[in-house]
């Protein structure tokens, strides 16, 4: 037993081994009478969480600031208590729940976004940070050149293939709608330099003398819709 004057704030150094530490306390009056023995337990944990992993549910290219992540981490003793997320200046903390989906908002400037993630255990130990990234883009693409080539260069009779080539100021896909009168005969999203062949793709739906209307829009990787033609 170590004696301290009554009312003293006690400072005691634990042995360095991680684990549960049990304390026993008793009181003695001026006549030497002793109280019963009281006990308490302290957990010493000096090892931070590890194996922090994240799954980004929002597409890598996104036009929304609201993203969703699932984060998992491990801690061998006291367990993971909180998850910290940061856009680069200070952390916000969330109670840890394995495999739960967290909602997070990235900052409003366009560009690459790096979200820093840490896990914190119940003793306050902080894991090494990990980073998950996405690209925030809200600017529609701009068409630089467009070329629709008909083999016979005669619009009313599309019996021959149609080549569609569009260039934009960023990587894009092309949304195409081909109509014969009021009937949609082809509608979809295709890659650039797309060749539409009425004979091969649509068979009997394409006949000589039919009149067609072809419209297109460019769509960037974040889903922003640009000009149409």
């Amino acid at each position: 037993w170590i004696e301290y004057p009554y009312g003293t704030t006690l400072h005691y150094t634990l042995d360095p081994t991680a684990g549960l530490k049990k304390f026993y306390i008793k009181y003695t009056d001026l006549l030497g009478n002793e109280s019963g023995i009281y006990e308490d337990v302290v957990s010493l944990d000096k090892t931070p969480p590890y194996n922090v992993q994240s799954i980004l549910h929002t597409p890598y290219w996104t036009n929304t600031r609201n993203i969703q992540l699932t984060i998992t981490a491990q801690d061998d003793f006291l367990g993971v208590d909180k998850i910290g997320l940061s856009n680069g200046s200070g952390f916000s903390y969330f109670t840890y729940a394995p495999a739960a989906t967290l909602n997070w908002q990235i900052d409003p400037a366009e560009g690459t976004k790096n979200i820093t993630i840490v896990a914190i255990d119940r003793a306050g130990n902080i894991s090494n940070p990990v980073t998950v990234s996405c690209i925030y883009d809200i600017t529609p693409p701009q068409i630089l050149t467009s070329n629709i080539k008909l083999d016979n260069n005669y619009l009313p009779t599309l019996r021959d293939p149609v080549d569609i080539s569009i260039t934009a100021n960023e990587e894009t896909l092309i949304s195409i709608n081909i109509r014969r009168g009021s009937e949609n005969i082809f509608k979809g999203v295709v890659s650039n330099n797309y060749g539409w062949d009425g004979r091969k793709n649509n068979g009997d739906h394409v006949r000589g003398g039919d009149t067609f209307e072809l419209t297109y829009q460019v769509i960037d990787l974040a889903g922003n819709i640009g000009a149409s033609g």
Side-chain angles (χ1 to χ4, degrees):
W1 292 93
I2 301 174
E3 293 186 357
Y4 295 91
Y6 180 74
T8 302
T9 299
L10 306 182
H11 298 278
Y12 187 80
T13 302
L14 300 173
D15 71 78
T17 306
L20 297 176
K21 310 296 178 179
K22 185 173 287 188
F23 291 86
Y24 299 94
I25 303 170
K26 65 180 180 179
Y27 299 93
T28 305
D29 65 18
L30 296 177
L31 296 177
N33 300 304
E34 293 184 348
S35 70
I37 296 175
Y38 305 91
E39 63 181 62
D40 204 351
V41 175
V42 173
S43 298
L44 177 61
D45 178 6
K46 300 185 294 183
T47 304
Y50 63 97
N51 196 25
V52 180
Q53 299 185 26
S54 66
I55 299 174
L56 180 65
H57 297 291
T58 305
Y60 179 71
W61 287 82
T62 180
N63 58 9
T64 176
R65 291 178 59 197
N66 300 311
I67 66 170
Q68 293 185 320
L69 307 104
T70 296
I71 300 169
T72 58
Q74 292 179 263
D75 188 84
D76 290 336
F77 186 33
L78 296 178
V80 179
D81 183 35
K82 296 182 184 298
I83 294 295
L85 299 179
S86 174
N87 286 328
S89 58
F91 280 85
S92 296
Y93 297 96
F94 303 85
T95 300
Y96 178 69
T101 298
L102 296 179
N103 296 308
W104 182 249
Q105 189 172 78
I106 55 180
D107 65 68
E110 290 187 88
T112 300
K113 303 300 176 182
N114 298 312
I115 304 159
T116 303
I117 304 167
V118 295
I120 306 168
D121 66 17
R122 288 178 171 82
N125 300 303
I126 302 174
S127 72
N128 291 325
V130 299
T131 301
V132 62
S133 300
C134 64
I135 297 177
Y136 179 52
D137 177 12
I138 56 173
T139 303
Q142 297 178 3
I143 295 176
L144 301 179
T145 63
S146 62
N147 181 39
I148 300 176
K149 180 184 177 183
L150 313 180
D151 280 2
N152 58 13
N153 202 30
Y154 182 54
L155 184 59
T157 57
L158 296 186
R159 292 184 60 84
D160 297 314
V162 181
D163 293 322
I164 303 166
S165 177
I166 296 172
T167 60
N169 64 334
E170 59 180 308
E171 187 174 355
T172 59
L173 297 172
I174 310 168
S175 175
I176 297 177
N177 187 18
I178 300 176
R179 297 169 62 87
R180 186 185 65 207
S182 61
E183 176 189 7
N184 285 321
I185 61 172
F186 180 82
K187 186 174 185 178
V189 177
V190 299
S191 60
N192 204 351
N193 297 317
Y194 174 75
W196 179 76
D197 189 338
R199 297 167 301 179
K200 180 177 68 176
N201 292 351
N202 296 279
D204 294 338
H205 289 286
V206 180
R207 302 181 295 271
D210 286 339
T211 300
F212 292 85
E213 177 186 64
L214 186 151
T215 58
Y216 62 86
Q217 289 180 309
V218 289
I219 306 170
D220 67 19
L221 298 182
N224 301 301
I225 299 173
S228 60

